[in-house]
Amino acid sequence: MTELLHAGRFRAAIDVFPEEPVPADHPIRSAPNVVLSAHRAGSIEGDSNLIGRMVADDLEAMAQGLPPWHMQPAEPEIVARLP
């Protein structure tokens, strides 16, 4: 997947990784068109529905050419500082 992202074949938003945290030198960190996020699963009843609604809202906005409202893209300079 990392190779395909670097080739510009698709875009991705990823919050679960085989190894966490993702190593600082992992090539996924420099891939274009990718948003990396810490995994945040809701543990309180109803959180899953809220998270799902937020994702659906943002996908609908992006499908219309608008920026996401709930989830903000990770800025490369911030991602580079993550452990």
Side-chain angles (χ1 to χ4, degrees):
M1 179 172 72
T2 301
E3 291 174 10
L4 294 173
L5 284 165
H6 275 280
R9 299 284 307 273
F10 65 96
R11 294 179 280 184
I14 308 166
D15 73 338
V16 177
F17 307 91
E19 180 182 351
E20 294 189 14
V22 176
D25 61 345
H26 194 288
I28 193 81
R29 289 184 177 261
S30 63
N33 298 318
V34 66
V35 174
L36 304 177
S37 174
H39 183 67
R40 298 178 190 158
S43 59
I44 299 173
E45 187 175 334
D47 280 355
S48 294
N49 289 336
L50 175 60
I51 293 168
R53 183 73 258 153
M54 290 169 38
V55 169
D57 288 348
D58 281 354
L59 289 173
E60 288 173 6
M62 289 186 290
Q64 295 173 20
L66 301 170
W69 174 254
H70 299 289
M71 307 295 171
Q72 298 301 310
E75 299 297 332
E77 56 273 7
I78 294 172
V79 172
R81 293 191 318 228
L82 296 175

Coordinates of all heavy atoms in Angstrom, one line a residue:
M1 N 0.8 -1.2 0.0 CA 0.0 0.0 0.0 C 0.9 1.3 0.0 O 0.6 2.2 -0.7 CB -0.9 0.0 1.2 CG -1.8 1.2 1.3 SD -3.1 1.2 2.5 CE -2.1 1.4 4.0
T2 N 1.9 1.2 0.8 CA 2.8 2.4 0.9 C 3.4 2.7 -0.5 O 3.4 3.9 -0.9 CB 4.0 2.1 1.9 OG1 3.4 1.9 3.1 CG2 4.9 3.3 2.0
E3 N 3.8 1.7 -1.3 CA 4.3 1.9 -2.6 C 3.3 2.6 -3.5 O 3.6 3.5 -4.3 CB 4.8 0.6 -3.2 CG 6.1 0.1 -2.5 CD 6.4 -1.3 -3.0 OE1 5.9 -1.8 -4.1 OE2 7.3 -1.9 -2.4
L4 N 2.0 2.1 -3.4 CA 1.0 2.6 -4.3 C 0.6 4.1 -3.9 O 0.4 4.9 -4.8 CB -0.3 1.8 -4.2 CG -0.1 0.3 -4.7 CD1 -1.4 -0.5 -4.4 CD2 0.1 0.4 -6.2
L5 N 0.7 4.4 -2.6 CA 0.5 5.8 -2.2 C 1.6 6.7 -2.7 O 1.3 7.8 -3.2 CB 0.5 5.9 -0.7 CG -0.8 5.4 0.0 CD1 -0.6 5.2 1.5 CD2 -2.0 6.4 -0.2
H6 N 2.8 6.2 -2.6 CA 4.0 7.0 -3.2 C 3.9 7.2 -4.7 O 4.3 8.2 -5.2 CB 5.3 6.4 -2.8 CG 5.8 6.8 -1.4 ND1 6.4 8.0 -1.2 CD2 5.7 6.2 -0.2 CE1 6.7 8.2 0.1 NE2 6.3 7.1 0.7
A7 N 3.3 6.2 -5.4 CA 3.1 6.3 -6.8 C 1.9 7.2 -7.2 O 1.6 7.4 -8.4 CB 2.9 4.9 -7.4
G8 N 1.1 7.6 -6.2 CA 0.0 8.5 -6.4 C -1.2 7.7 -7.0 O -2.1 8.3 -7.6
R9 N -1.3 6.4 -6.7 CA -2.4 5.6 -7.2 C -3.7 5.8 -6.5 O -4.8 5.6 -7.0 CB -2.0 4.1 -7.2 CG -0.8 3.7 -8.0 CD -1.1 3.7 -9.5 NE -2.2 2.8 -9.8 CZ -2.1 1.5 -10.0 NH1 -1.0 0.9 -9.9 NH2 -3.2 0.9 -10.3
F10 N -3.6 6.2 -5.2 CA -4.9 6.5 -4.4 C -4.5 7.3 -3.2 O -3.4 7.6 -2.9 CB -5.6 5.2 -4.0 CG -4.8 4.3 -3.1 CD1 -5.0 4.3 -1.7 CD2 -3.9 3.4 -3.6 CE1 -4.3 3.5 -0.9 CE2 -3.2 2.6 -2.7 CZ -3.4 2.6 -1.4
R11 N -5.6 7.7 -2.5 CA -5.5 8.5 -1.2 C -5.9 7.6 -0.1 O -6.7 6.7 -0.3 CB -6.3 9.7 -1.3 CG -5.8 10.7 -2.3 CD -6.6 11.9 -2.4 NE -7.8 11.6 -3.2 CZ -8.8 12.4 -3.5 NH1 -8.7 13.7 -3.1 NH2 -9.8 12.1 -4.2
A12 N -5.4 7.8 1.1 CA -5.8 7.0 2.2 C -5.8 7.8 3.5 O -5.1 8.8 3.7 CB -4.8 5.8 2.4
A13 N -6.7 7.4 4.4 CA -6.7 7.9 5.8 C -6.6 6.6 6.7 O -7.4 5.7 6.6 CB -8.0 8.6 6.1
I14 N -5.6 6.6 7.5 CA -5.2 5.3 8.2 C -5.1 5.6 9.7 O -4.4 6.6 10.1 CB -3.9 4.7 7.7 CG1 -3.9 4.6 6.2 CG2 -3.6 3.4 8.4 CD1 -2.6 4.3 5.5
D15 N -5.7 4.8 10.5 CA -5.6 5.0 12.0 C -5.2 3.7 12.7 O -5.1 3.7 13.9 CB -6.8 5.6 12.6 CG -8.0 4.7 12.7 OD1 -8.0 3.7 11.9 OD2 -8.9 4.9 13.5
V16 N -5.0 2.6 12.0 CA -4.6 1.4 12.6 C -3.4 0.8 11.8 O -3.5 0.8 10.6 CB -5.8 0.3 12.6 CG1 -5.3 -1.0 13.2 CG2 -6.9 0.8 13.4
F17 N -2.4 0.5 12.5 CA -1.1 0.0 11.8 C -0.7 -1.3 12.4 O -0.9 -1.6 13.6 CB 0.0 1.1 12.0 CG -0.5 2.5 11.6 CD1 -1.1 3.3 12.5 CD2 -0.3 2.9 10.3 CE1 -1.5 4.6 12.1 CE2 -0.7 4.1 9.9 CZ -1.3 5.0 10.8
P18 N 0.1 -2.1 11.6 CA 0.6 -3.3 12.2 C 1.5 -3.1 13.4 O 1.5 -3.9 14.3 CB 1.4 -3.9 11.0 CG 0.8 -3.3 9.8 CD 0.4 -1.9 10.2
E19 N 2.3 -2.0 13.4 CA 3.1 -1.7 14.5 C 2.8 -0.3 14.9 O 2.8 0.6 14.1 CB 4.6 -1.8 14.0 CG 5.6 -1.4 15.1 CD 7.0 -1.5 14.6 OE1 7.3 -1.9 13.5 OE2 7.9 -1.0 15.4
E20 N 2.5 -0.1 16.2 CA 2.2 1.2 16.7 C 3.1 1.5 17.9 O 3.3 0.7 18.7 CB 0.7 1.3 17.1 CG -0.2 1.1 15.9 CD -1.7 1.4 16.2 OE1 -2.0 1.9 17.3 OE2 -2.5 1.0 15.4
P21 N 3.6 2.8 17.9 CA 3.4 3.8 16.9 C 4.2 3.4 15.6 O 5.2 2.6 15.7 CB 4.0 5.0 17.5 CG 5.0 4.5 18.5 CD 4.4 3.2 19.0
V22 N 3.8 4.0 14.5 CA 4.5 3.8 13.3 C 6.0 4.3 13.4 O 6.1 5.5 13.9 CB 3.8 4.5 12.1 CG1 4.6 4.4 10.8 CG2 2.4 4.0 11.9
P23 N 7.0 3.6 13.1 CA 8.3 4.0 13.2 C 8.6 5.4 12.5 O 8.0 5.6 11.5 CB 9.2 2.9 12.6 CG 8.3 1.7 12.7 CD 6.9 2.2 12.6
A24 N 9.4 6.2 13.1 CA 9.6 7.5 12.6 C 10.2 7.5 11.1 O 9.9 8.4 10.3 CB 10.6 8.3 13.5
D25 N 10.9 6.4 10.8 CA 11.5 6.3 9.5 C 10.7 5.5 8.5 O 11.1 5.3 7.3 CB 12.9 5.7 9.5 CG 12.9 4.3 10.1 OD1 11.9 3.9 10.7 OD2 14.0 3.6 10.0
H26 N 9.5 5.2 8.9 CA 8.6 4.4 8.0 C 8.2 5.2 6.8 O 7.8 6.4 6.9 CB 7.4 3.9 8.7 CG 6.6 2.8 7.9 ND1 5.9 3.1 6.8 CD2 6.5 1.5 8.2 CE1 5.4 2.0 6.3 NE2 5.8 1.0 7.2
P27 N 8.3 4.7 5.5 CA 8.0 5.5 4.3 C 6.5 6.0 4.3 O 6.2 6.9 3.6 CB 8.3 4.6 3.2 CG 8.6 3.3 3.7 CD 8.8 3.4 5.2
I28 N 5.6 5.4 5.0 CA 4.2 5.8 5.0 C 4.1 7.2 5.5 O 3.2 8.0 5.1 CB 3.3 4.9 5.8 CG1 1.8 5.1 5.5 CG2 3.5 5.0 7.3 CD1 1.3 4.5 4.2
R29 N 5.0 7.6 6.4 CA 5.0 9.0 6.9 C 5.2 10.1 5.9 O 4.8 11.2 6.1 CB 6.0 9.1 8.1 CG 5.5 8.4 9.3 CD 6.5 8.6 10.4 NE 6.2 8.0 11.7 CZ 5.5 8.6 12.7 NH1 5.2 9.8 12.6 NH2 5.3 7.9 13.8
S30 N 5.9 9.7 4.8 CA 6.2 10.7 3.8 C 5.3 10.5 2.5 O 5.5 11.2 1.5 CB 7.7 10.7 3.4 OG 8.0 9.5 2.8
A31 N 4.4 9.6 2.5 CA 3.6 9.4 1.4 C 2.6 10.5 1.1 O 2.1 11.1 2.0 CB 2.8 8.1 1.5
P32 N 2.5 10.9 -0.2 CA 1.5 12.0 -0.5 C 0.1 11.5 -0.4 O -0.2 10.3 -0.4 CB 1.9 12.4 -1.9 CG 2.4 11.1 -2.5 CD 3.2 10.4 -1.3
N33 N -0.8 12.4 -0.2 CA -2.3 12.0 -0.1 C -2.6 11.0 0.9 O -3.5 10.2 0.7 CB -2.7 11.5 -1.5 CG -2.5 12.6 -2.6 OD1 -2.8 13.7 -2.4 ND2 -2.0 12.2 -3.7
V34 N -2.0 11.1 2.1 CA -2.3 10.2 3.1 C -2.5 11.0 4.4 O -1.7 11.9 4.7 CB -1.3 9.0 3.3 CG1 0.1 9.6 3.7 CG2 -1.7 8.0 4.3
V35 N -3.5 10.6 5.2 CA -3.7 11.2 6.5 C -3.5 10.1 7.5 O -4.1 9.0 7.4 CB -5.1 11.8 6.7 CG1 -5.3 12.2 8.1 CG2 -5.3 12.9 5.7
L36 N -2.5 10.3 8.5 CA -2.3 9.3 9.5 C -2.8 9.8 10.8 O -2.7 11.0 11.1 CB -0.8 9.1 9.7 CG 0.0 8.6 8.4 CD1 1.5 8.5 8.7 CD2 -0.5 7.3 7.9
S37 N -3.5 9.0 11.6 CA -4.1 9.4 12.8 C -3.9 8.3 13.9 O -3.9 7.1 13.5 CB -5.6 9.7 12.6 OG -6.2 10.0 13.8
A38 N -3.9 8.7 15.1 CA -3.9 7.8 16.2 C -5.2 7.1 16.2 O -6.2 7.7 15.9 CB -3.6 8.5 17.5
H39 N -5.2 5.8 16.5 CA -6.5 5.0 16.6 C -7.3 5.5 17.7 O -6.8 5.5 18.9 CB -6.2 3.5 16.7 CG -7.4 2.7 16.7 ND1 -8.2 2.6 15.5 CD2 -8.0 2.0 17.6 CE1 -9.2 1.8 15.8 NE2 -9.1 1.4 17.1
R40 N -8.5 5.9 17.4 CA -9.4 6.4 18.5 C -10.8 5.7 18.3 O -11.6 6.2 17.6 CB -9.6 7.9 18.4 CG -8.3 8.6 18.5 CD -8.6 10.1 18.4 NE -7.3 10.7 18.3 CZ -7.0 11.9 17.8 NH1 -8.0 12.6 17.3 NH2 -5.8 12.4 17.8
A41 N -10.9 4.6 19.0 CA -12.2 3.9 19.0 C -13.0 4.3 20.2 O -12.5 4.4 21.3 CB -12.0 2.4 18.9
G42 N -14.3 4.6 20.0 CA -15.1 4.9 21.1 C -15.4 3.8 22.0 O -15.8 2.7 21.6
S43 N -15.3 4.0 23.3 CA -15.6 2.9 24.2 C -16.9 3.2 25.0 O -17.3 2.3 25.8 CB -14.4 2.7 25.2 OG -14.3 3.9 25.9
I44 N -17.5 4.3 24.8 CA -18.7 4.6 25.5 C -19.9 4.3 24.5 O -19.8 4.7 23.3 CB -18.8 6.1 25.9 CG1 -17.6 6.4 26.9 CG2 -20.1 6.5 26.5 CD1 -17.4 7.8 27.2
E45 N -21.0 3.8 25.0 CA -22.1 3.4 24.2 C -22.5 4.7 23.4 O -22.7 5.7 23.9 CB -23.3 2.9 25.1 CG -24.4 2.4 24.3 CD -25.5 1.8 25.1 OE1 -25.2 1.4 26.2 OE2 -26.7 1.8 24.7
G46 N -22.8 4.5 22.1 CA -23.2 5.6 21.3 C -22.0 6.2 20.5 O -22.2 6.9 19.5
D47 N -20.8 6.1 21.0 CA -19.6 6.7 20.4 C -19.4 6.2 18.9 O -19.1 6.9 18.0 CB -18.4 6.5 21.2 CG -18.2 7.5 22.3 OD1 -19.1 8.4 22.4 OD2 -17.3 7.3 23.1
S48 N -19.7 4.9 18.8 CA -19.5 4.3 17.4 C -20.4 5.0 16.4 O -20.0 5.3 15.3 CB -19.7 2.8 17.4 OG -18.7 2.2 18.2
N49 N -21.6 5.2 16.8 CA -22.6 5.9 15.9 C -22.1 7.3 15.6 O -22.2 7.8 14.5 CB -24.0 5.9 16.5 CG -24.6 4.5 16.5 OD1 -24.2 3.6 15.7 ND2 -25.6 4.3 17.4
L50 N -21.7 8.0 16.6 CA -21.2 9.4 16.5 C -20.0 9.4 15.5 O -19.9 10.2 14.6 CB -20.9 10.0 17.8 CG -20.3 11.4 17.7 CD1 -21.2 12.4 17.1 CD2 -19.9 11.9 19.1
I51 N -19.0 8.5 15.8 CA -17.8 8.5 14.9 C -18.3 8.2 13.5 O -17.8 8.8 12.5 CB -16.8 7.5 15.5 CG1 -16.3 7.9 16.8 CG2 -15.7 7.2 14.4 CD1 -15.5 6.9 17.5
G52 N -19.1 7.2 13.3 CA -19.6 6.8 12.0 C -20.3 8.0 11.3 O -20.1 8.2 10.1
R53 N -21.1 8.7 12.0 CA -21.8 9.9 11.4 C -20.8 11.0 11.0 O -20.9 11.6 9.9 CB -22.8 10.5 12.4 CG -23.6 11.6 11.9 CD -24.7 11.2 10.9 NE -24.2 11.5 9.6 CZ -24.6 10.9 8.5 NH1 -25.4 9.9 8.5 NH2 -24.2 11.3 7.3
M54 N -19.8 11.2 11.8 CA -18.7 12.2 11.5 C -18.0 11.8 10.2 O -17.7 12.6 9.3 CB -17.8 12.4 12.7 CG -18.4 13.0 13.9 SD -17.5 13.0 15.4 CE -15.8 13.2 14.9
V55 N -17.6 10.5 10.1 CA -16.9 10.0 8.9 C -17.8 10.2 7.7 O -17.4 10.7 6.7 CB -16.5 8.6 9.1 CG1 -16.0 8.0 7.8 CG2 -15.4 8.5 10.2
A56 N -19.1 9.8 7.8 CA -20.0 9.9 6.7 C -20.2 11.3 6.3 O -20.2 11.6 5.1 CB -21.3 9.2 7.1
D57 N -20.3 12.2 7.2 CA -20.5 13.6 6.9 C -19.3 14.1 6.1 O -19.4 14.9 5.1 CB -20.6 14.5 8.2 CG -22.0 14.3 8.9 OD1 -22.9 13.7 8.3 OD2 -22.1 14.8 10.0
D58 N -18.1 13.8 6.6 CA -16.9 14.3 5.9 C -16.8 13.7 4.5 O -16.3 14.3 3.6 CB -15.6 14.0 6.8 CG -15.4 15.0 7.9 OD1 -16.2 15.9 8.0 OD2 -14.5 14.7 8.7
L59 N -17.1 12.4 4.4 CA -17.0 11.8 3.1 C -18.0 12.4 2.1 O -17.7 12.7 0.9 CB -17.3 10.3 3.1 CG -16.2 9.4 3.8 CD1 -16.7 8.0 4.0 CD2 -14.9 9.5 3.0
E60 N -19.2 12.7 2.6 CA -20.2 13.4 1.7 C -19.6 14.8 1.3 O -19.8 15.2 0.2 CB -21.5 13.6 2.5 CG -22.2 12.3 2.6 CD -23.5 12.4 3.5 OE1 -23.9 13.5 3.9 OE2 -24.1 11.3 3.8
A61 N -19.0 15.5 2.2 CA -18.5 16.9 1.9 C -17.4 16.7 0.9 O -17.4 17.5 -0.1 CB -17.9 17.5 3.2
M62 N -16.5 15.8 1.1 CA -15.4 15.6 0.1 C -15.9 15.2 -1.2 O -15.3 15.6 -2.3 CB -14.3 14.6 0.7 CG -13.6 15.2 1.9 SD -12.2 14.2 2.5 CE -13.1 12.8 3.2
A63 N -16.9 14.4 -1.3 CA -17.5 14.0 -2.6 C -18.1 15.2 -3.3 O -18.1 15.1 -4.6 CB -18.6 12.9 -2.3
Q64 N -18.4 16.2 -2.6 CA -18.9 17.4 -3.2 C -17.8 18.5 -3.5 O -18.1 19.6 -3.8 CB -20.0 18.0 -2.4 CG -21.2 17.1 -2.2 CD -22.2 17.7 -1.2 OE1 -22.2 18.9 -0.9 NE2 -23.1 16.8 -0.7
G65 N -16.6 18.1 -3.2 CA -15.4 18.9 -3.5 C -15.2 19.9 -2.3 O -14.4 20.9 -2.5
L66 N -15.8 19.6 -1.2 CA -15.6 20.5 0.0 C -14.6 19.8 1.0 O -14.4 18.6 0.9 CB -17.0 20.7 0.7 CG -18.1 21.3 -0.1 CD1 -19.4 21.2 0.6 CD2 -17.7 22.8 -0.4
P67 N -14.0 20.6 1.8 CA -13.1 20.1 2.8 C -13.8 19.3 3.9 O -15.0 19.6 4.2 CB -12.3 21.3 3.4 CG -13.3 22.4 3.2 CD -14.1 22.1 2.0
P68 N -13.2 18.3 4.5 CA -13.8 17.7 5.7 C -14.1 18.7 6.8 O -13.3 19.6 7.0 CB -12.8 16.6 6.1 CG -11.5 17.0 5.5 CD -11.8 17.9 4.3
W69 N -15.1 18.5 7.5 CA -15.5 19.4 8.6 C -15.0 18.8 10.0 O -14.5 19.5 10.8 CB -17.0 19.6 8.6 CG -17.4 20.4 9.8 CD1 -18.1 20.0 10.9 CD2 -17.2 21.8 10.0 NE1 -18.3 21.0 11.8 CE2 -17.8 22.1 11.3 CE3 -16.6 22.8 9.3 CZ2 -17.8 23.4 11.8 CZ3 -16.6 24.1 9.8 CH2 -17.2 24.4 11.1
H70 N -15.3 17.6 10.2 CA -15.1 17.0 11.5 C -13.6 16.5 11.7 O -13.0 16.8 12.7 CB -15.9 15.7 11.8 CG -17.4 16.0 11.8 ND1 -18.0 16.7 12.8 CD2 -18.4 15.8 10.9 CE1 -19.3 16.9 12.5 NE2 -19.5 16.3 11.4
M71 N -13.1 15.8 10.7 CA -11.7 15.3 10.8 C -10.9 16.2 9.9 O -11.1 16.4 8.8 CB -11.6 13.9 10.2 CG -12.6 12.9 10.9 SD -12.3 12.7 12.6 CE -13.7 11.8 13.1
Q72 N -9.8 16.8 10.5 CA -9.0 17.7 9.8 C -7.7 16.9 9.3 O -7.2 16.1 10.0 CB -8.6 18.9 10.7 CG -9.8 19.7 11.2 CD -10.5 20.3 10.0 OE1 -9.9 20.9 9.1 NE2 -11.8 20.1 10.0
P73 N -7.2 17.3 8.1 CA -6.0 16.6 7.6 C -4.8 16.9 8.5 O -4.7 18.0 9.1 CB -5.8 17.2 6.2 CG -6.9 18.3 6.0 CD -7.8 18.3 7.2
A74 N -4.0 15.9 8.6 CA -2.8 16.1 9.4 C -1.8 16.9 8.6 O -1.5 16.5 7.4 CB -2.2 14.7 9.8
E75 N -1.2 17.9 9.1 CA -0.2 18.7 8.4 C 1.1 18.0 8.4 O 1.5 17.4 9.5 CB -0.1 20.1 9.1 CG -1.4 20.9 9.1 CD -1.9 21.2 7.7 OE1 -1.1 21.3 6.8 OE2 -3.1 21.4 7.5
P76 N 1.8 17.9 7.3 CA 3.1 17.2 7.3 C 4.1 17.6 8.4 O 4.7 16.7 8.9 CB 3.6 17.5 5.9 CG 2.4 17.8 5.1 CD 1.4 18.5 6.0
E77 N 4.1 18.9 8.7 CA 5.1 19.3 9.7 C 4.7 18.7 11.1 O 5.6 18.5 11.9 CB 5.3 20.8 9.7 CG 4.0 21.6 9.9 CD 3.3 21.9 8.6 OE1 3.6 21.4 7.6 OE2 2.3 22.6 8.7
I78 N 3.4 18.5 11.3 CA 3.0 17.9 12.6 C 3.2 16.4 12.6 O 3.7 15.9 13.6 CB 1.5 18.3 12.9 CG1 1.3 19.8 13.1 CG2 1.0 17.5 14.1 CD1 -0.1 20.2 13.1
V79 N 2.9 15.8 11.5 CA 3.1 14.3 11.4 C 4.5 14.0 11.6 O 4.9 13.0 12.3 CB 2.5 13.8 10.1 CG1 2.9 12.3 9.9 CG2 1.0 14.0 10.0
A80 N 5.4 14.8 11.0 CA 6.9 14.5 11.1 C 7.4 14.5 12.6 O 8.4 13.9 12.9 CB 7.6 15.5 10.3
R81 N 6.6 15.2 13.5 CA 7.1 15.3 14.9 C 6.5 14.2 15.7 O 6.9 14.1 16.9 CB 6.6 16.7 15.4 CG 7.3 17.9 14.8 CD 7.1 19.1 15.6 NE 5.7 19.3 16.0 CZ 4.9 20.3 15.9 NH1 5.4 21.4 15.3 NH2 3.7 20.4 16.3
L82 N 5.6 13.4 15.2 CA 5.0 12.3 16.0 C 6.0 11.3 16.3 O 6.9 10.9 15.5 CB 3.8 11.7 15.3 CG 2.6 12.7 15.0 CD1 1.6 12.0 14.2 CD2 2.0 13.2 16.4
P83 N 5.9 10.7 17.5 CA 6.9 9.6 17.8 C 6.7 8.4 17.1 O 5.7 8.1 16.5 CB 6.6 9.4 19.3 CG 5.3 9.9 19.6 CD 5.0 11.0 18.6

